[in-house]
Structures are given as C-alpha cells and as structure tokens.
Amino acid sequence: MATKTEQAFMILKERIMNGTYGPGHRLVIDQLVREHGISSVPWRESLRRLEAEGWVEIVPNVGALVATFDTDAWQQGLQIVARLGGYATALSAPHLTEADLTAAHTLGRQMKEALADFDPARFGRLNREFHRLLACRCPDRRLVDMVDNEWARLEVVRKSAFWYAPGRAQASIAEHEGILQLIESGASAEAIEAAAKQHEINTIEAVTKYEATLPEQRF
C-alpha cells in the first residue's frame, strides 16, 4: 500500500501532467490538506521531491509554484532524452522480442497514417509509444524511469510551448526505420545508441534552424 507521501506525490504529479495545475499555479499546503485529508508533512515532502525532479519551483516568500516550461526547457529535456534514451535503447535492443519489433513496425505505420490525417496529437502519442517500446527491455530500470520522467516533462512542455519544423515528422519516421534496421540486423550497442541519440538531436537542430528563419516577434 502506498504511503501518505507517495499518495500526495502522485496526486500532485498527475494534476500537473494533466494540466489541472498549470504553469505558475501556487500549491498551498493548507488547501491540499483540507481537500485530501492528508496531513501537511507528506505534502511538504512531496513538494521537495517535485522540486528535485523539476516539476515545482520553491520561491522564497511566495511558496511552491508549478514550474513554467518554454522552448528552452523543451530543448534541454530532449537533450537529456537523447543521451539517456539512446543508452537505454542500446541496452534494451538485445532483449527485444519478435513481438516487440512487430509492434514497433506497426507503430511506424500508424505514425504515417496520423501524419497523412494531419493529426499531430496522435502522431506525438505514437512517437512516445515507439520510443518507450524500444527501451522497454532495458535491464536498468532506474535508467528507464529517468527517461520516462523526462518524456513526461516533455509532454507538459508540449502543452505550454510550441515548436515546429517543416518536414521533420517525415524525417523522424525514416530515422525510426533506420534504428529498427540496426536492431534487427544485430548492430553493435554503440551504433544503436548513436543512431537513437542523433535522432533526437536532429529534431532539436531542425526546430532551431527553422525558428531562426522566422521574423522576430515584437509586442
């Protein structure tokens, strides 16, 4: 059974992730105590953990605020996913089953369909499922949890910041197929890690390059 601190943590994290508590929302412990019947100590411990994970900012004389994410936060998060996710994929690759690989190819086809249907939300969900699947057999579960946590943060950033690069989605699908080919051919862990890492870096570079071509906004 989950402890009171674990319960408090999951309540707060879920509400941040689903948008109930948006960026800048002030988390008041007394209010949380009244709403959920959990004493103040678990909430304080949960807020410290959320701060350590980057979900909450503790501001002197103000209190705990849900972190505000922007394009810079997205870039930083994707750089972390590139490094840790690439490594997790390489460790997972030798343990992926035929069923896993078949599912990965199916996700690839579904991503093409989502792209053809101009459904970016579905494309994003399928993309996340694809990368989670490729890393699912990684024997280092702590590493997998770290990658999952960063992907979850990117989903929150996606709701509050916008990024786009023409043609990147199509290129991303092609790169997915390349990573799968490496895995299925028994390529070295180094080659798989490098390809998975470069895949995320390519997204950062494509968005950065495209944004540089846009006229500066003035308010």
Side-chain angles (χ1 to χ4, degrees):
M1 183 176 179
T3 66
K4 293 295 184 181
T5 297
E6 290 169 341
Q7 291 177 38
F9 175 80
M10 292 309 300
I11 289 170
L12 292 176
K13 187 170 182 179
E14 180 179 355
R15 293 192 173 191
I16 291 171
M17 290 177 61
N18 67 23
T20 301
Y21 298 151
H25 180 89
R26 185 165 176 252
L27 299 167
V28 181
I29 290 178
D30 289 345
Q31 181 179 347
L32 293 168
V33 170
R34 290 193 299 270
E35 288 180 359
H36 301 281
I38 299 175
S39 66
S40 60
V41 173
W43 293 113
R44 290 194 180 91
E45 292 176 351
S46 297
L47 289 173
R48 284 195 289 269
R49 181 177 170 186
L50 287 165
E51 181 186 28
E53 292 188 4
W55 296 100
V56 166
E57 299 172 353
I58 307 297
V59 181
N61 303 319
V62 175
L65 304 176
V66 176
T68 299
F69 300 108
D70 53 19
T71 302
D72 288 340
W74 168 77
Q75 284 195 359
Q76 293 167 5
L78 203 55
Q79 286 170 351
I80 292 172
V81 167
R83 292 191 291 270
L84 298 185
Y87 185 43
T89 299
L91 293 179
S92 174
H95 309 288
L96 290 170
T97 66
E98 283 295 324
D100 293 331
L101 295 173
T102 297
H105 282 292
T106 298
L107 287 170
R109 289 193 295 272
Q110 291 172 339
M111 288 180 71
K112 290 179 181 178
E113 293 169 1
L115 195 58
D117 293 338
F118 302 100
D119 190 345
R122 181 167 180 254
F123 183 93
R125 289 193 300 271
L126 293 168
N127 179 66
R128 174 69 192 95
E129 289 179 31
F130 178 87
H131 287 288
R132 177 180 289 159
L133 177 59
L134 292 194
C136 73
R137 304 295 179 184
C138 174
D140 187 340
R141 301 316 301 173
R142 186 166 182 270
L143 175 60
V144 174
D145 288 344
M146 292 169 68
V147 176
D148 281 343
N149 189 64
E150 207 57 46
W151 271 111
R153 195 191 324 277
L154 284 172
E155 287 302 310
V156 175
V157 178
R158 193 186 302 276
K159 297 174 184 176
S160 57
F162 177 77
W163 59 90
Y164 172 73
R168 179 55 199 153
Q170 293 93 333
S172 180
I173 291 173
E175 290 165 12
H176 284 178
E177 293 172 350
I179 295 169
L180 280 174
Q181 288 174 4
L182 287 173
I183 293 173
E184 291 172 330
S185 67
S188 69
E190 291 78 9
I192 295 170
E193 179 180 359
K197 179 179 178 180
Q198 189 61 48
H199 167 64
E200 307 298 356
I201 292 174
N202 288 345
T203 298
I204 297 172
E205 291 178 346
V207 173
T208 301
K209 183 177 180 179
Y210 176 65
E211 287 185 341
T213 67
L214 300 176
E216 183 178 354
Q217 295 183 354
R218 300 183 182 277
F219 300 93

